[in-house]
Amino acid sequence: HRFLTEVQGDDKVTKEDAQGIINSSSILHRRGLHLDAFFKYLLSDANLPLSPVGVHRDMSAPLSHYFIYTGHNSYLTGNQLSSDCSDAPIIQALHKGVRVIELDIWPNSSKENVDVLHGGTFTSPVELIKCLKSINNHAFVASDYPVVITLEDHLTPDLQAKVAEMVNQTFREILFTPGSECLKEFPSPQSMKKRVIISTKPPKEYLEAKEIKEKENGSDRSKPLGDEEAWGKEVPDLEGSIRGDNKNGDDEDQSDEEDDSDGDLKSQQLVAPQYKHLIAIHAGKPKGGISEALKVDPDKVRRLSLSEEQLEKAAKTHGKEIVRFTQRNILRVYPKGIRVDSSNYNPLIGWMHGAQMVAFNMQGHGRSLWIMQGMFRANGGCGYVEKPDFLLKTGPNNEIFDPKVRLPVKKTLKVTVYMGEGWYQEFPHTYFDQYSPPDFYTRVGIAGVPADTMMTKTKTLEDNWVPAWNETFEFPLTVPELALLRVEVHEYDMSEKDDFGGQTCLPVWELRKGIRAIPLYNRKGEKFKHVRLLMRFDFV
Ligand SMILES: *[C@@H]1O[C@H](CO)[C@@H](O)[C@H](O)[C@H]1NC(C)=O
Ligand SMILES: *[C@@H]1O[C@H](CO)[C@@H](O)[C@H](O)[C@H]1NC(C)=O
Ligand SMILES: *[C@@H]1O[C@H](CO)[C@@H](O)[C@H](O)[C@H]1NC(C)=O
């Protein structure tokens, strides 16, 4: 009981709870508390670093108040150019708690049906209806909170009408369709439990129906309606980067919301109103440059998409405006076009500017994805993490959080890496070194705002399957609300690349203090059965 209160910092624990642990951990056929049983308890699932209570944050704020677990090109099984399209990666993502699924929809080759594929590439298509059905069957396996489908629409109006029918037929009463033209404020995840929400660019020809009707007879079908080229004019650099993406062979996201390359065709015909009625989250089409794009309309909310490069550029000149925009509106960030290998980028730039949908290639792997997975271990893994207050509040004199300002240290996280175990059970015994036990070291550090981001490591312990490092590190944090603890174990090899021995990433603001068992995951983010570290956390 004293250990639980004094070391683990659990001030609500009772003597009965402590007795319960003793009873359940007497696995070794000996009664009472003894060293082996206590050690086993420390490394057990009963002693994890995050609280096991599940969803524990307020879920009744508008969607714009949350970071949302978001996929990019969710239908791709591999790279961005030649991999197969399938509903399998969509199902996998939903099972991991991903809440935003992106589908690029195109006419099939006979133009009678709708396929999902990565336009302009050699990816083989999957039928839209198959993807919708799989979303319907798997949406709420990992979380009850809403699933948003972002559509990248390359369709003709007759096929848009077909999509409306498919979506309506597939999701029926779980589909959220707002009564009014445009939402004044986003609904909350709580009110949207077990609902599906569609987000895309509303066909503007419907908005401008009257105008089009007038033009319909005898007009030139190839003549554009107007503002296609406006985006980026004010900031030539930004436009440059849009075109730059194009050159690199991936033009899909440019026709997402902001660019309107296929608008000419559609704009000449009146679209079926059913399609527009499906769209709950309007992807805005900004006219003008970045300042215009970030303008906040008090009467309606919308979603804006920026590539990682566009965000980086915009952050240099318009950091506070981006934060202000994301207080009510949704910002989606997507990987730049040259990431044809389905790699990802640093998600913190988006998060520190309040971007709710930092869209990732979930089929990829690597450190950025580990950080993404770490963020969404928070709040019971439900796919929605409340944004910190400072990103949502405006000060008494209308002050907005400025992501460029370096803040004073608010908290210091003290981390002790005691020891690790489980590799002997998990790996072939010659996996790390052919003739001797492995030489493990642990890298530990923080992914957060630039001032907090750092990595350090323990000594390498030679020839030991159960390394005991017993080293303590201190991480001063200026924004602990956005800090993720990164942990990686590697095995040192003198003559070749070090072997990988597991990783995890944990939201610092949800870390439980005290001595904890830290399960490690493989490169893809799948949990090892046996491998875990014993670590200690303290906040000073
Ligand atoms: C396109 O879809 C229609 C309707 O489902 C189907 O009959 C046709 O075979 C499809 N065309 C191709 C080339 O797949
Ligand atoms: C969906 O279907 C219902 C009837 O099944 C119909 O009343 C409704 O208008 C349809 N909605 C759309 C957006 O097509
Ligand atoms: C671990 O390190 C602490 C602090 O340096 C030291 O007091 C303690 O004896 C060490 N424990 C072991 C088992 O080596």
Side-chain angles (χ1 to χ4, degrees), residues 484-498:
L484 294 134
L485 177 72
R486 291 177 52 191
V487 179
E488 293 171 15
V489 176
H490 298 272
E491 199 269 338
Y492 173 76
D493 278 320
M494 194 163 39
S495 52
E496 47 197 314
K497 207 162 164 273
D498 290 357

Side-chain angles (χ1 to χ4, degrees), residues 164-165 168-169 172 175 177 273-275 277-278:
E165 201 180 307
N168 199 10
Q169 292 292 309
R172 295 178 178 272
L175 184 70
T177 45
Q274 308 89 289
Y275 182 71
H277 287 152
L278 296 178

Side-chain angles (χ1 to χ4, degrees), residues 108-110 112-113 162:
N108 82 350
S109 47
S110 59
E112 296 155 55
N113 201 356
K162 194 159 181 162

Side-chain angles (χ1 to χ4, degrees), residues 201-202 204 207-208 226-231 256-261 263 282-288 292-293 302-304:
K201 176 175 63 180
K204 72 172 171 195
L207 300 174
E208 297 163 19
D227 51 18
E228 274 74 19
E229 293 161 86
W231 166 243
D256 184 2
E257 288 88 25
E258 279 63 61
D259 186 271
D260 202 10
S261 53
H282 286 204
K285 183 163 174 300
K287 298 173 182 168
E292 199 61 32
R302 62 193 164 90
R303 171 169 74 84
L304 174 71

Side-chain angles (χ1 to χ4, degrees), residues 108 136 227 240 275 321 332 384 404 453 458 495 517:
N108 82 350
N136 189 45
D227 51 18
Y275 182 71
E321 286 82 353
R332 173 174 171 272
Y384 286 82
K404 277 205 288 292
T453 299
T458 66
S495 52

